[in-house]
């Protein structure tokens, strides 16, 4: 049995227990880049171990581990390598047949319904596929009130049947229906991007979102913006 498989088996044994220890699993994952004895693991082996561990109990991982793991692992391997790992896990385990990541960018977003506490995802890597938008970042707010799937690596942001799609400076805003109520998504491109890159990303995002725009809402009168 290879060294990486031995490490993976120990992690899966712990996470598959009836009451797994989140601290033990987190520390074991961080040790893969924090301790000298694990430096023989290649990046692909590391990504695979993280992905297989997550895939063993995704709901538990997202609720108990994801926030701390992403923050601490990012400090060990850097933002670019972290994004590479996230992309690897999404492509190997969670994209549908025929689904492809078309482009990605850094930014933040807020999703809000009237009379409901909004969610914020900051310091985010945002992946756009031919079917959906996926955010990896720091979450604040009751995610399950907007999108109930917590057994997914990252956060799925709805784009299907969107309406009131528009640009406000370097932000893109649109609305979707969630449980019969309008929910507004406000996506902001990171300021670290050059203006030229922001313009290119905004244009690409518009092209993607307009394909998912609902004709049903196009002729309805506009309401005041919730984020103005």
């Amino acid at each position: 049995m290879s060294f990486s498989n031995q490490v993976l088996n120990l992690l899966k044994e712990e996470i598959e227990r009836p009451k797994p220890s989140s601290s033990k699993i987190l520390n074991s994952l961080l040790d893969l880049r924090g301790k000298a004895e694990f430096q023989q693991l290649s990046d692909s082996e590391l990504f695979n171990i993280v992905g297989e561990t997550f895939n063993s109990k995704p709901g538990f991982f997202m609720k108990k581990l994801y926030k701390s793991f992403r923050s601490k692992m990012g400090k060990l391997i850097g933002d670019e390598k972290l994004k590479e790992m996230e992309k690897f896990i999404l492509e190997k385990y969670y994209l549908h047949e025929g689904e492809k990541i078309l482009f990605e960018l850094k930014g933040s977003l807020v999703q809000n319904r009237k009379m409901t506490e909004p969610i914020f995802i900051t310091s985010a890597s945002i992946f756009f596929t031919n079917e959906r938008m996926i955010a990896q970042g720091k979450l604040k707010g009751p995610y399950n009130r907007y999108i109930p799937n917590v057994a997914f690596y990252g956060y799925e942001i709805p784009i299907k049947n969107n309406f009131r799609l528009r640009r406000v400076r370097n932000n893109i805003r649109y609305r979707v229906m969630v449980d019969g109520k309008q929910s507004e998504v406000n996506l902001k491109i990171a300021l670290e991007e050059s203006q030229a890159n922001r313009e290119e990303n905004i244009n690409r995002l518009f092209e993607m979102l307009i394909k998912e725009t609902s004709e049903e809402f196009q002729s309805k009168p506009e309401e005041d913006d919730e984020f103005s």
Side-chain angles (χ1 to χ4, degrees):
M1 182 183 295
S2 70
F3 179 64
S4 63
N5 283 337
Q6 292 177 29
V7 173
L8 175 58
N9 285 343
L10 289 173
L11 279 161
K12 291 180 73 173
E13 181 179 326
E14 178 60 37
I15 201 169
E16 290 172 358
R17 293 179 186 275
K19 294 183 178 180
S21 169
S22 56
S23 60
K24 184 175 181 178
I25 297 166
L26 175 62
N27 290 332
S28 296
L29 288 171
L30 296 176
D31 285 347
L32 301 181
R33 277 297 176 263
K35 289 191 174 181
E37 59 261 39
F38 296 106
Q39 298 310 304
Q40 62 181 285
L41 292 172
S42 66
D43 287 340
S44 61
E45 287 175 318
L46 170 67
F47 299 168
N48 186 67
I49 289 171
V50 174
E52 288 288 335
T53 303
F54 175 86
N55 205 37
S56 296
K57 196 171 286 186
F60 173 83
F61 196 107
M62 285 302 296
K63 292 177 181 178
K64 301 293 186 179
L65 295 167
Y66 176 82
K67 182 178 179 180
S68 294
F69 170 75
R70 190 175 188 275
S71 174
K72 294 178 179 180
M73 183 60 81
K75 292 176 181 177
L76 289 171
I77 65 177
D79 290 343
E80 287 305 311
K81 192 66 70 175
L82 180 68
K83 184 170 68 173
E84 186 180 334
M85 181 183 70
E86 291 167 340
K87 187 174 183 179
F88 173 93
I89 293 172
L90 289 173
E91 289 181 329
K92 182 172 182 179
Y93 300 98
Y94 291 101
L95 296 192
H96 306 145
E97 184 176 355
E99 184 179 12
K100 297 180 180 179
I101 294 175
L102 302 179
F103 68 103
E104 56 205 65
L105 54 82
K106 289 185 176 295
S108 61
L109 64 87
V110 56
Q111 185 175 351
N112 189 27
R113 290 191 307 191
K114 292 180 178 179
M115 307 301 292
T116 305
E117 183 182 354
I119 60 168
F120 300 86
I121 304 176
T122 59
S123 302
S125 295
I126 307 174
F127 298 91
F128 298 91
T129 78
N130 50 320
E131 296 185 12
R132 52 186 163 169
M133 176 164 61
I134 303 164
Q136 306 279 350
K138 300 176 183 178
L139 173 72
K140 179 181 178 182
Y143 177 73
N144 61 323
R145 293 186 185 179
Y146 297 86
I147 308 102
N149 182 12
V150 294
F152 179 83
Y153 196 73
Y155 306 105
E156 293 183 85
I157 310 302
I159 63 173
K160 298 290 185 182
N161 297 315
N162 72 75
F163 55 101
R164 294 215 56 212
L165 173 64
R166 68 255 190 232
R167 174 178 177 175
V168 182
R169 295 180 292 278
N170 289 319
N171 297 8
I172 290 179
R173 299 176 184 175
Y174 64 90
R175 296 187 184 185
V176 288
M177 299 301 294
V178 177
D179 294 333
K181 296 181 180 180
Q182 292 188 22
S183 176
E184 177 138 308
V185 177
N186 185 41
L187 175 63
K188 185 174 184 179
I189 310 300
L191 293 177
E192 64 190 56
E193 295 271 4
S194 68
Q195 186 60 39
N197 285 341
R198 282 201 298 273
E199 289 293 332
E200 180 181 357
N201 283 329
I202 287 173
N203 289 337
R204 295 178 74 182
L205 180 54
F206 250 97
E207 289 176 5
M208 174 186 172
L209 290 173
I210 203 165
K211 294 176 182 178
E212 306 294 342
T213 299
S214 171
E215 295 182 1
E216 177 184 354
F217 290 94
Q218 286 181 346
S219 60
K220 291 191 175 183
E222 295 189 352
E223 302 173 15
D224 293 337
D225 286 344
E226 294 177 23
F227 296 102
S228 297

